[in-house]
């Protein structure tokens, strides 16, 4: 149940983010929409790794190594998402730096004003 | 208007795709073979209690090296793109006041200490190099916000970053020479399971990752905060 | 899975969707950025419920903390760029 809720929310976040990125005209707003879509993708990947009734992949007194395989959830998606979040910040910083340079050139963040590559 | 309708159409189509994915989805009752291997072998092979850390640092260590490289490239490009926009004449902001200055001086070492704690204990508890690095960077962020006039030492940051990166690769190569392969953690004794000094080289590697990630985030934040007002 | 936890998840997910809609719909740009940060903050709690404490920590520190600050650093340099 909890997995389905999380999956559905993740998909909705991706859709909201894509819709926002396609319809906004302000560069910074497009970047905000991208971060929302990014969060949605992360939620979907983590939700796929969750198995009902199990616990976090950390071994200690309550989850001894011998019965770990029956007690923990899949750690691989978590490792992937950890990577994805860090790279996500890098990508966001890069987009913001370019948005700043574009604003420096044109004094505007309106995407419609940047038409050199439009056909 | 037509653009908005097209976007809505695309989102609806994607939504249909996602819905069909969702309807067929049921969580597996058992771990898949890869995850099962990690669950059964991590404790005796690597000695790490946190499986996510074991995967990031050792099983998929090469991925992490690549990721840190990507992050380094991003920080370098952000610095390069914004280099010409750096503030030439430092503007004269109003001094922040005694409370802010003292509070910053009190809090910054504590924040840095928490960051170090998080990445040194990465193999035992939730946390690790990336989280600890982000906490270190937030300590730098506090200094940047509280005292914008203070010149940010890009030299120190790049020394920390290059040292951490070089040591990371050297430890990886040591694994090739002394243990089973590149970035193998068994170049140091595995120690007693669950202790701070255990799991071989994992705490060392994750600390280096933490320093490197912290330095990269800090330099990104500083590059963006040193830009000129437009 | 206890019904309380399931109910909490549903509530948090609803709050996340509302915050995401606010992030792309709201008029003022600072509010949109804050709403985007709020999505990440709630998401980190949902990660905790999904038994992913490592990811929750990363999302809270990086996704909602540093990202929001990067946006505000850039925004504070651009006077007048907000209302296009």
């Amino acid at each position: 149940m909890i997995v389905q809720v999380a999956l559905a929310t993740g998909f909705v976040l991706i859709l909201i983010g894509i819709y926002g990125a396609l319809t906004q005209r302000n560069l910074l707003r497009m970047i905000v929409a991208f971060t929302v879509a990014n969060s949605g993708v992360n939620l979907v990947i983590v939700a796929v790794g969750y198995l009902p009734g199990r616990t976090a992949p950390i071994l200690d007194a309550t989850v001894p190594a011998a019965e770990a395989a029956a007690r923990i959830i899949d750690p691989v998606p978590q490792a992937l998402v950890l990577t994805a979040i860090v790279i996500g910040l890098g990508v966001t910083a890069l987009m913001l730096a370019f948005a700043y340079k574009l604003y420096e050139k044109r004094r505007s963040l309106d995407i419609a004003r940047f038409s050199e590559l439009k056909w | 208007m037509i653009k908005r309708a097209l976007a809505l159409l695309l989102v609806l189509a994607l939504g249909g795709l996602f819905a069909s994915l969702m309807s067929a989805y049921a969580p597996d009752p058992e771990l898949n073979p890869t995850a099962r291997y990690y669950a059964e072998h991590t404790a005796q092979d690597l000695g790490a209690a946190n499986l996510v850390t074991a995967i990031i640092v050792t099983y998929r260590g090469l991925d992490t090296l690549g990721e840190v490289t990507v992050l380094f490239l991003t920080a370098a490009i952000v610095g390069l793109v914004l280099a010409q926009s750096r503030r030439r004449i430092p503007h004269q902001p109003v001094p922040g006041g005694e409370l802010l200055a003292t509070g910053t001086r009190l809090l910054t070492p504590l924040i840095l200490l928490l960051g170090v704690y998080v990445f040194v204990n990465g193999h035992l508890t939730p946390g690790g190099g990336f989280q600890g690095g982000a906490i270190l960077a937030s300590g730098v962020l506090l200094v940047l916000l509280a005292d914008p006039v203070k010149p940010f030492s890009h030299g120190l940051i790049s020394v920390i970053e290059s040292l951490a990166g070089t040591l990371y690769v050297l430890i990886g190569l040591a694994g090739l020479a002394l243990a089973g392969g590149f970035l193998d953690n068994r170049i140091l004794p595995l120690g007693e399971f669950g202790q701070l000094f255990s799991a071989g080289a994992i705490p060392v590697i994750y600390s280096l990752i933490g320093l490197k990630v912290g330095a990269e985030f800090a330099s990104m934040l500083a590059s963006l905060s040193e830009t000129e007002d437009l | 899975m206890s019904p309380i936890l399931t109910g909490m998840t549903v509530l948090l997910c609803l709050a996340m969707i509302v915050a995401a809609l606010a992030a792309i719909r709201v008029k003022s740009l600072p509010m949109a950025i804050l709403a985007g940060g709020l999505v990440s903050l709630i998401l980190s709690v949902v990660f905790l419920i999904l038994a992913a404490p490592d990811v929750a920590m990363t999302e809270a520190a990086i996704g909602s903390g540093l990202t929001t600050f990067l946006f505000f650093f850039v925004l504070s340099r651009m006077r007048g760029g907000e209302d296009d």
Side-chain angles (χ1 to χ4, degrees):
Chain A
M1 175 61 200
I2 196 170
V3 184
Q4 274 82 2
V5 172
L7 266 181
T9 314
F11 284 138
V12 170
L13 286 184
I14 297 175
L15 295 179
I16 292 175
I18 290 177
Y19 179 75
L22 287 177
T23 52
Q24 301 288 343
R25 295 164 61 86
N26 186 313
L27 279 176
L28 285 184
R29 282 174 183 271
M30 290 170 84
I31 302 176
V32 172
F34 269 116
T35 63
V36 170
N38 187 12
S39 305
V41 175
N42 292 341
L43 180 52
V44 169
I45 300 178
V46 169
V48 166
Y50 183 78
L51 307 180
R54 295 188 177 213
T55 179
I58 294 170
L59 311 173
D60 57 5
T62 51
V63 186
E67 38 183 287
R71 297 281 303 278
I72 62 165
I73 65 169
D74 192 346
V76 182
Q78 297 194 16
L80 295 180
V81 170
L82 208 71
T83 313
I85 292 173
V86 177
I87 295 296
L89 176 65
V91 172
T92 309
L94 206 56
M95 288 197 278
L96 285 171
F98 284 126
Y100 176 85
K101 285 309 264 192
L102 288 175
Y103 185 78
E104 197 180 30
K105 283 263 181 305
R106 295 287 171 81
R107 301 283 150 167
S108 167
L109 284 172
D110 190 347
I111 191 76
R113 301 272 302 271
F114 302 99
S115 50
E116 286 88 351
L117 291 179
K118 206 171 172 182
W119 45 277
Chain B
M1 205 56 227
I2 185 133
K3 196 178 146 202
R4 194 166 285 258
L6 275 178
L8 204 60
L9 207 66
L10 177 70
V11 164
L12 283 180
L14 266 179
L17 202 69
F18 288 159
S20 68
L21 277 178
M22 268 284 296
S23 62
Y25 182 78
D28 299 340
E30 284 294 313
L31 286 182
N32 57 45
T34 321
R36 174 173 286 276
Y37 177 86
Y38 290 148
E40 281 167 354
H41 292 80
T42 302
Q44 50 184 15
D45 286 1
L46 305 182
N50 187 343
L51 298 194
V52 179
T53 300
I55 290 174
I56 287 182
V57 178
T58 305
Y59 287 123
R60 287 158 193 257
L62 202 60
D63 280 7
T64 309
L65 184 59
E67 180 197 359
V68 175
T69 314
V70 170
L71 208 59
F72 165 72
L73 282 177
T74 319
I77 296 171
V78 169
L80 183 72
V81 167
L82 297 177
Q84 297 140 3
S85 317
R86 190 163 293 164
R87 222 184 285 132
R88 280 170 197 89
I89 325 123
H91 57 184
Q92 301 291 327
V94 228
E98 196 66 24
L99 266 179
L100 187 62
T102 316
T104 310
R105 231 172 283 149
L106 181 71
L107 277 177
T108 311
L110 292 178
I111 295 175
L112 295 183
L113 189 66
L114 176 67
V116 172
Y117 173 82
V118 166
F119 64 64
V120 166
N121 281 288
H123 58 303
L124 302 175
T125 53
F130 296 109
Q131 297 91 326
I135 295 174
L136 291 187
S138 63
V140 176
L141 177 65
L142 178 64
V143 177
L144 279 176
L145 286 177
D147 195 357
V149 206
K150 193 175 190 166
F152 181 79
S153 170
H154 281 280
L156 177 67
I157 287 287
S158 54
V159 166
I160 294 176
E161 190 186 338
S162 358
L163 266 184
T166 316
L167 279 175
Y168 183 20
V169 175
L170 283 181
I171 288 180
L173 290 176
L176 207 54
L178 302 174
F182 190 65
L183 284 172
D184 196 324
N185 71 323
R186 283 167 292 189
I187 52 172
L188 297 173
L190 286 188
E192 194 185 334
F193 181 77
Q195 297 297 309
L196 179 58
F197 293 105
S198 68
I202 287 183
V204 182
I205 296 176
Y206 227 8
S207 303
L208 290 174
I209 294 176
L211 285 176
K212 191 160 166 59
V213 169
E216 275 151 7
F217 283 164
S219 87
M220 270 184 220
L221 285 166
S223 309
L224 276 171
S225 81
E226 278 171 353
T227 46
E228 222 166 349
D229 279 330
L230 293 178
Chain C
M1 189 55 60
S2 72
I4 300 175
L5 209 55
T6 311
M8 215 169 104
T9 316
V10 173
L11 272 183
L12 287 172
C13 286
L14 284 179
M16 210 148 64
I17 290 172
V18 172
L21 286 174
I24 65 164
R25 296 298 305 175
V26 106
K27 271 269 179 291
S28 105
L29 187 48
M31 285 301 283
I33 294 172
L34 283 178
L38 188 63
V39 174
S40 287
L41 199 60
I42 304 172
L43 185 60
S44 72
V45 182
V46 175
F47 281 149
L48 204 59
I49 295 176
L50 288 175
D54 284 279
V55 186
M57 274 179 88
T58 319
E59 182 74 36
I62 297 178
S64 69
L66 294 181
T67 309
T68 313
F69 268 104
L70 284 181
F71 273 110
F72 275 114
F73 271 142
V74 173
L75 185 63
S76 66
R77 302 285 176 247
M78 301 175 179
R79 286 283 140 244
E82 299 148 41
D83 34 48
D84 284 323

